[in-house]
Amino acid sequence: MKQLALDIGIATGPSFDAFFAGPNEAALRHLQLWVGGAGSAVPHSPVPTYLWGESGSGKTHLLESVRVALREQGASVGWLHAGVLEPPEFDERWGAVLLDDVHLYTAVQQHAAFNWFVNAQTLQRGVVAAGALPPADLPLREDLRTRLGWGHVFHLQVLSESERRAVLRQAADTRGVMLSDEVLDYMLHRFSRDLGSLMELLTQLDGYALQTQRAITIPLIRSMLENE
């Protein structure tokens, strides 16, 4: 059976509390302090932060957690990712600028990102960006690439299989759900390595098991996928 790559969103929404840091503890703590120490809609430090790592390492989750935390403080943010084909002009009301998947930016997006970055720095607003590559290797215009790399840079690591297994086991225990080693092996080897996707899969399985009054087994997982 071929490996499935589920791209399921996190139903409960991203947050710092929902992020299992593992080897990425330094990046998590940095962003929590950066957001939480402001006491207002504008974070303390205008020094930019750049997160990089392979898919599934938690980059977007952390960016979205920053956005959620700032919104809870009453701040709006500028958000640019590779799917925004026509980026808006910089808005001075933004408390911060968040740039995701910068390695995929088109020339138009790079122009907008550079403009946002310069305006944010002029107004002492924060910039948090993320990409799949270290700053020096980004296929971007030089002025943007160098700006992304001059502040705090964190290399995020994908959780190991044992770490993902431990998180899933703990989450299942919290729900009162029994996951056998066989089921855990199946989930870890057949689906996305992204922890958010795996946690959402667990949520769906729990709901489907309750609905069908069956235990969570490999046949149940296959049945759920067939009935989607």
Side-chain angles (χ1 to χ4, degrees):
M1 183 176 180
K2 67 179 181 180
Q3 180 176 4
L4 301 175
L6 266 64
D7 184 18
I8 308 173
I10 303 173
T12 55
S15 68
F16 290 130
D17 288 342
F19 184 77
F20 183 83
N24 303 312
E25 183 74 22
L28 173 63
R29 294 302 174 211
H30 168 78
L31 292 173
Q32 286 178 314
L33 289 172
W34 183 82
V35 170
S40 68
V42 180
H44 275 289
S45 173
V47 177
T49 297
Y50 179 70
L51 312 172
W52 71 276
E54 64 179 288
S55 177
S57 57
K59 302 183 299 295
T60 298
H61 185 119
L62 286 175
L63 282 186
E64 292 180 340
S65 299
V66 169
R67 177 164 62 172
V68 168
L70 291 177
R71 282 181 171 175
E72 289 175 350
Q73 295 178 14
S76 61
V77 300
W79 177 275
L80 179 59
H81 57 79
V84 181
L85 301 181
E86 297 183 6
E89 295 295 322
F90 179 84
D91 190 330
E92 292 189 0
R93 294 172 296 181
W94 290 342
V97 164
L98 306 179
L99 309 172
D100 198 13
D101 287 334
V102 298
H103 59 288
L104 299 176
Y105 281 5
T106 64
V108 171
Q109 292 165 333
Q110 291 178 50
H111 175 78
F114 177 75
N115 177 267
W116 287 17
F117 200 114
V118 170
N119 278 284
Q121 293 292 289
T122 299
L123 296 173
Q124 297 287 288
R125 308 291 165 80
V127 177
V128 183
L133 301 169
D137 296 336
L138 288 169
L140 303 174
R141 48 189 279 182
E142 183 69 10
D143 51 6
L144 175 60
R145 186 184 62 77
T146 54
R147 279 172 170 79
L148 290 171
W150 74 261
H152 303 284
V153 177
F154 294 92
H155 181 194
L156 301 187
Q157 307 287 334
V158 175
L159 296 183
S160 67
E161 181 176 322
S162 62
E163 288 168 330
R164 281 176 281 140
R165 182 183 294 271
V167 174
L168 285 171
R169 178 79 75 188
Q170 182 178 11
D173 290 346
T174 300
R175 291 172 174 272
V177 172
M178 171 62 185
L179 290 184
S180 67
D181 289 338
E182 183 183 32
V183 167
L184 275 172
D185 287 342
Y186 190 85
M187 292 173 67
L188 290 167
H189 296 158
R190 302 286 183 172
F191 298 95
S192 170
R193 290 195 299 165
D194 176 74
L195 185 60
S197 296
L198 288 169
M199 295 294 279
E200 180 59 22
L201 174 62
L202 176 61
T203 298
Q204 292 188 350
L205 285 171
D206 187 21
Y208 189 71
L210 289 172
Q211 178 186 343
T212 57
Q213 295 295 298
R214 296 165 59 189
I216 296 180
T217 60
I218 292 175
L220 179 87
I221 298 175
R222 290 172 175 159
S223 174
M224 185 188 77
L225 294 175
E226 290 170 358
N227 285 285
E228 283 187 339

